[in-house]
Amino acid sequence: MRASLVIILFLSFLTVRAQNDIASLQKEAEELEAAGNSRELASTLNKLGTLQWQQGMLDEAIESFSQSLSINKDLDNVNAQRIINGYLGLVHLENENYPEAVRVFTERIRLNKSAGKTQELISDYYNIAMAYQAMNNYAESDKFAELALNKSLEANNLKTTKSAYLVLAENSEKQGDSKKASAYYEKYNTISAHLRKTQMEQLQAEKEQIQTEIQVKEEQLESQRSSLADKEEAIEEMERERLLREAEIQAEKAQIEAREKLRKTQMLYLIGALVFFIIVL
């Protein structure tokens, strides 16, 4: 119960924060428009549209992206137009405005062809196929799914190849062609199994690499610990040698002092004897 409450409060916090960010971007857009700063205005509108999209404000997101698209057409920024059309098409799909999604992605196809963007073309063909499928126009959906499939095969992109086969399988199934649907599903499943195997092998390789890196670091730490132990032992040996040398010096000093004391004693005896001898004489 407490965990659920924490999650609800956290999500509420994120929603409030997002609404504040949206309001801030709207104000910024108004100021940029008043200042006539078109380039920065387009950038701000893109940020605003993305945030509105994330918050499920689809109509508002479409309006923001459309304004940015219009500005970038005036600026003749073709690359920005390609990107914004991609956003717009996806929002229209999510908003279930499929004819508009087809129109936007068709325009993006023209731009991507001119720019030689193969991967983006595959995405455009696939999204149009999905839009036509949602409209139960399976003939058009098949047409664009096959375009996506052919481009995917040319690019050797197994992920998009798999997605195209799935659309074709679903279309065939909905049209009652179970034989064709089965053939497409088999290809889809074969590629899916291959991708899962490849992913597992990649994860295993990454795991082994991490384990190797951990082992190397442990060996380095052990080497450092051994080196530190050796240094500590050397310091202790030096300390022992210092103490021994100090003891030797103290012993030598004591011997010198003893010899000096003996010499002084002998000198006193000698002087005493000499005085006695003089007195006697």
Side-chain angles (χ1 to χ4, degrees), residues 75-87:
L75 295 172
D76 198 27
N77 189 338
V78 177
N79 189 55
Q81 292 174 50
R82 289 191 315 100
I83 295 171
I84 297 166
N85 271 318
Y87 294 155

Side-chain angles (χ1 to χ4, degrees), residues 17-194:
R17 180 176 178 179
Q19 292 298 329
N20 290 336
D21 290 343
I22 287 172
S24 177
L25 287 170
Q26 287 173 331
K27 182 179 179 181
E28 182 180 333
E30 291 172 359
E31 292 173 351
L32 289 169
E33 184 175 13
N37 192 338
S38 298
R39 194 173 300 276
E40 289 298 323
L41 174 59
S43 177
T44 298
L45 287 169
N46 289 336
K47 295 175 186 176
L48 177 60
T50 301
L51 195 52
Q52 290 168 329
W53 184 12
Q54 292 171 349
Q55 292 300 306
M57 302 167 64
L58 302 184
D59 291 335
E60 292 83 351
I62 289 170
E63 177 64 23
S64 296
F65 285 134
S66 297
Q67 288 180 30
S68 177
L69 180 62
S70 177
I71 293 170
N72 279 290
K73 285 181 177 178
D74 291 339
L75 295 172
D76 198 27
N77 189 338
V78 177
N79 189 55
Q81 292 174 50
R82 289 191 315 100
I83 295 171
I84 297 166
N85 271 318
Y87 294 155
L88 266 174
L90 291 173
V91 179
H92 282 307
L93 277 179
E94 190 173 337
N95 207 27
E96 298 183 357
N97 189 345
Y98 304 117
E100 190 63 17
V102 169
R103 184 193 67 78
V104 172
F105 282 121
T106 299
E107 172 62 16
R108 190 168 188 257
I109 286 172
R110 182 185 67 79
L111 297 172
N112 280 327
K113 281 183 176 179
S114 298
K117 301 289 184 179
T118 300
Q119 186 56 48
E120 284 80 352
L121 277 173
I122 294 172
S123 176
D124 295 337
Y125 291 144
Y126 173 79
N127 286 321
I128 291 176
M130 292 295 293
Y132 276 123
Q133 185 186 75
M135 291 187 287
N136 300 324
N137 189 339
Y138 301 117
E140 285 298 307
S141 182
D142 281 346
K143 171 184 171 182
F144 283 95
E146 286 171 359
L147 287 170
L149 176 62
N150 292 334
K151 284 290 182 182
S152 296
L153 291 171
E154 289 175 12
N156 195 29
N157 188 327
L158 291 179
K159 289 184 179 180
T160 53
T161 299
K162 180 191 73 170
S163 298
Y165 276 132
L166 180 59
V167 175
L168 290 167
E170 291 172 345
N171 288 346
S172 298
E173 187 175 40
K174 289 173 181 178
Q175 293 177 91
D177 193 338
S178 57
K179 184 177 180 180
K180 185 180 287 188
S182 178
Y184 283 135
Y185 275 126
E186 183 177 354
K187 291 179 179 180
Y188 168 81
N189 290 328
T190 298
I191 295 174
S192 295
H194 174 75

Side-chain angles (χ1 to χ4, degrees), residues 13 79 126 164 210 245 251:
F13 166 75
N79 189 55
Y126 173 79
I210 291 171
R245 181 58 183 156

